[in-house]
Amino acid sequence: MQATTKMASELNVSVWRPSSILFLVLILSLTSLSWDVAAFRTSDSSGPYTPDWQSLDTRPIPKWYDEAKIGIFLHWGVFSVPSFRSAWFWWYLVAEQSPAYVKFMKDNYRPGFTYQDFAPMFTTEFYDPNQWAEIFTKSGARYIVLTSKHHEGYTNWPSKYSWNWNSKAVGPKRDLVGELAAAIKKTPIHFGLYHSLFEWFHPIYLQDKANNFTTQRFVREKTMPELYELVMNYKPDVIWSDGDWEATDKYWNSTEFIAWLYNDSPVKDTVVVNDRWGAGISCHHGDFYTCKDRYNPGKLITHKWENAMTIDKDAWVFRRNAHYADFYTIEGLISLLVETVSCGGNLLMNVGPTHDGRIAPIFEERLIQVGQWLKVNGEAIYASKPWTHQNDTYTKKVWYTSKMENNTKVVYATMLFWPTTNIIILGAVKITSRTDVYMLGYPKPIGYIYFPSIGLKIILPNIPASRLPCDWAWVFKITNLDE
């Protein structure tokens, strides 16, 4: 910790070292922030939830989130300017002094160039939030989660609590969060925000850390005011918290904020939160669990969970030096979506926009391909529930979901490959005399033979490739099974 503190003090940059008069203004403004937060205290709340996990965990998850199944994550910030390797660029450069990052800076930028010098280059001149909203709508995603602030501390909105280190003050000179919120709210998609509780090099946070988190000045004057500001200004339906792991939920005042969110906030009936609210909280509390990045248990989890993953397999941020093979194929994305939903989760696919505000063509293509598949097969995904079996007992790469239709359970079997013999056997399925089999997007019933010792043998019709209902992964709708 001493090494990290020393490095932070050696940065000597204007973001954290303004002139003495301006610094005094900053400190005075930060001191006043706790007065604003006091207006949101839960002690006078008439709501049913108290600021403790035992109470908060009793809140039913809003229906929309469980039914949504698929969302889009957007990692965007000053790190999008170097767009090299990781959103943790600043940390690897300064705190760890990683040779690859040090060499990248030495080879490409003048001596003395600092991370903060990237901020004016975060220009976003091609950022068209309505175009983004159109792409997201075509993808079939039901919610998006935009980075409002990553661990670097730069806010993508004109926060009163991030002096001279926000998108209105330096770089875009725009309210990036507000513009996308307005565009998304014209669509059926739910708007959400990612927010980092901590900041790597903020001196007030580092002082709290040096005090073993026995002081909470950073929480009172920075973290919580930002969260309340985001909720009141943009009314997000998802608060995706991160950067929590160095301190407990008590230090972060997490339960107090969430109780206000559930009881009295303008989004109290629709908002959901994840599980990253303090050391030891992840995978134990919150509306949905994320547990770790790219969490995919591969089995049924009874608590709602989310697989937050990256279309670029190696990074959350847009990388200028990425290779085509680094990206998920559409077949791989659909496979991951189906597996995740079959096991009770939502899939949150990450896209890294460019520093100038574009969604790169490879990301746009993948999103639109997912939407094309969902246009045919969304019935098996949206508002579905896990079935008795998650994957088939006989044939690999077949995953199940279910839902009620006209008071009868319908089971969907998603086949991730087309068998060369045009025959597939489903071992988990037991039929009745009323069982019918259909393929979503195909107009006629599908023939089958049932063998009690093996299972359901589905005989696929000889369909020309040009007439297949979709190009990747095919879904059987099976009715009136014996359960």
Side-chain angles (χ1 to χ4, degrees):
M1 187 230 297
Q2 290 178 345
T4 302
T5 305
K6 180 181 177 183
M7 290 174 196
S9 67
E10 290 175 350
L11 290 177
N12 193 29
V13 291
S14 61
V15 171
W16 302 126
R17 296 290 186 269
S19 70
S20 58
I21 294 176
L22 291 177
F23 186 67
L24 178 60
V25 172
L26 170 61
I27 294 301
L28 289 174
S29 65
L30 284 174
T31 304
S32 70
L33 306 189
S34 58
W35 304 340
D36 296 337
V37 172
F40 301 105
R41 299 300 184 198
T42 57
S43 56
D44 296 327
S45 172
S46 59
Y49 303 106
T50 55
D52 57 84
W53 291 117
Q54 184 176 2
S55 174
L56 298 174
D57 287 343
T58 65
R59 177 184 183 250
I61 190 168
K63 183 179 179 182
W64 77 263
Y65 179 80
D66 182 49
E67 294 184 345
K69 305 302 181 187
I70 185 165
I72 296 171
F73 216 170
L74 296 158
H75 273 67
W76 200 29
V78 174
F79 49 77
S80 304
V81 178
S83 59
F84 178 75
R85 288 201 173 188
S86 173
W88 285 53
F89 185 98
W90 195 5
W91 177 263
Y92 289 127
L93 176 67
V94 174
E96 295 196 4
Q97 297 186 1
S98 167
Y101 290 80
V102 172
K103 183 177 186 301
F104 175 83
M105 290 291 282
K106 182 178 179 180
D107 290 349
N108 294 284
Y109 300 96
R110 60 171 170 77
F113 191 96
T114 68
Y115 186 81
Q116 289 81 350
D117 292 321
F118 284 124
M121 302 164 69
F122 184 40
T123 50
T124 74
E125 65 266 31
F126 298 121
Y127 175 44
D128 182 347
N130 291 307
Q131 181 193 38
W132 285 23
E134 182 180 352
I135 293 171
F136 301 155
T137 301
K138 288 180 180 178
S139 77
R142 295 295 172 87
Y143 63 104
I144 68 111
V145 178
L146 171 67
T147 300
S148 67
K149 184 192 79 171
H150 202 255
H151 313 320
E152 65 188 11
Y154 181 92
T155 67
N156 281 331
W157 82 100
S159 176
K160 294 184 293 184
Y161 312 108
S162 188
W163 182 86
N164 203 35
W165 194 230
N166 66 73
S167 63
K168 194 75 169 178
V170 58
K173 305 298 177 74
R174 302 169 66 173
D175 181 355
L176 305 179
V177 171
E179 290 183 36
L180 189 58
I184 290 296
K185 289 180 180 181
K186 298 174 189 174
T187 74
I189 300 171
H190 290 263
F191 182 70
L193 289 172
Y194 166 106
H195 177 269
S196 175
L197 297 178
F198 89 144
E199 297 175 21
W200 288 314
F201 304 119
H202 197 295
I204 299 177
Y205 175 73
L206 294 176
Q207 185 59 59
D208 279 354
K209 185 175 179 179
N211 295 336
N212 293 320
F213 299 111
T214 57
T215 55
Q216 290 180 292
R217 188 177 168 202
F218 182 74
V219 176
R220 295 195 313 268
E221 300 177 4
K222 191 72 164 63
T223 301
M224 282 300 145
E226 285 179 345
L227 281 169
Y228 287 112
E229 185 179 47
L230 285 170
V231 173
M232 297 305 295
N233 288 352
Y234 306 113
K235 299 175 177 57
D237 286 334
V238 182
I239 299 291
W240 214 102
S241 181
D242 197 17
D244 62 317
W245 56 85
E246 292 190 341
T248 68
D249 58 318
K250 300 298 183 184
Y251 168 76
W252 293 118
N253 283 349
S254 298
T255 55
E256 184 173 290
F257 170 71
I258 297 172
W260 171 79
L261 205 59
Y262 289 175
N263 287 329
D264 301 305
S265 79
V267 289
K268 62 184 177 66
D269 296 323
T270 56
V271 72
V272 293
V273 302
N274 68 337
D275 55 348
R276 302 185 184 190
W277 294 99
I281 299 302
S282 180
C283 230
H284 293 91
H285 301 288
D287 292 310
F288 61 93
Y289 295 165
T290 61
C291 298
K292 60 182 179 179
D293 293 349
R294 303 174 180 86
Y295 178 59
N296 183 20
K299 62 181 181 180
L300 182 62
I301 303 296
T302 55
H303 190 92
K304 188 64 189 181
W305 61 279
E306 182 181 79
N307 181 356
M309 48 72 65
T310 56
I311 295 178
D312 174 351
K313 298 176 186 177
D314 295 329
W316 297 93
V317 64
F318 173 77
R319 295 185 301 140
R320 289 180 289 164
N321 62 336
H323 300 284
Y324 184 80
D326 296 336
F327 296 86
Y328 267 97
T329 63
I330 183 57
E331 293 87 352
L333 267 181
I334 291 172
S335 175
L336 198 57
L337 168 64
V338 171
E339 178 181 346
T340 298
V341 174
S342 294
C343 296
N346 283 13
L347 187 70
L348 188 63
M349 307 178 295
N350 182 75
V351 167
T354 63
H355 80 281
D356 53 11
R358 294 174 292 114
I359 303 292
I362 186 68
F363 288 123
E364 181 177 356
E365 180 184 57
R366 289 294 177 270
L367 294 178
I368 290 175
Q369 286 173 327
V370 170
Q372 290 170 343
W373 186 83
L374 285 168
K375 188 172 288 186
V376 176
N377 302 293
E379 178 183 335
I381 300 297
Y382 301 125
S384 66
K385 299 290 184 183
W387 189 45
T388 307
H389 299 270
Q390 278 61 68
N391 51 348
D392 192 58
T393 56
Y394 188 94
T395 301
K396 294 181 179 180
K397 296 186 178 181
V398 174
W399 293 86
Y400 291 103
T401 55
S402 67
K403 66 172 52 170
M404 297 301 294
E405 186 177 275
N406 299 322
N407 296 319
T408 302
K409 182 175 285 189
V410 174
V411 173
Y412 301 92
T414 300
M415 177 178 67
L416 298 177
F417 66 100
W418 190 276
T420 56
T421 60
N422 279 8
I423 291 174
I424 187 167
I425 294 174
L426 302 182
V429 171
K430 295 181 180 180
I431 70 164
T432 68
S433 59
R434 298 178 295 115
T435 297
D436 289 314
V437 178
Y438 304 89
M439 181 185 292
L440 294 183
Y442 186 72
K444 299 178 182 178
I446 304 295
Y448 67 85
I449 303 172
Y450 184 68
F451 298 94
S453 60
I454 300 176
L456 184 68
K457 180 178 180 181
I458 296 177
I459 305 167
L460 299 170
N462 291 314
I463 309 172
S466 61
R467 293 183 57 197
L468 285 171
C470 58
D471 294 329
W472 326 278
W474 298 268
V475 180
F476 299 109
K477 179 179 181 178
I478 309 171
T479 63
N480 298 305
L481 288 175
D482 180 8
E483 295 193 82

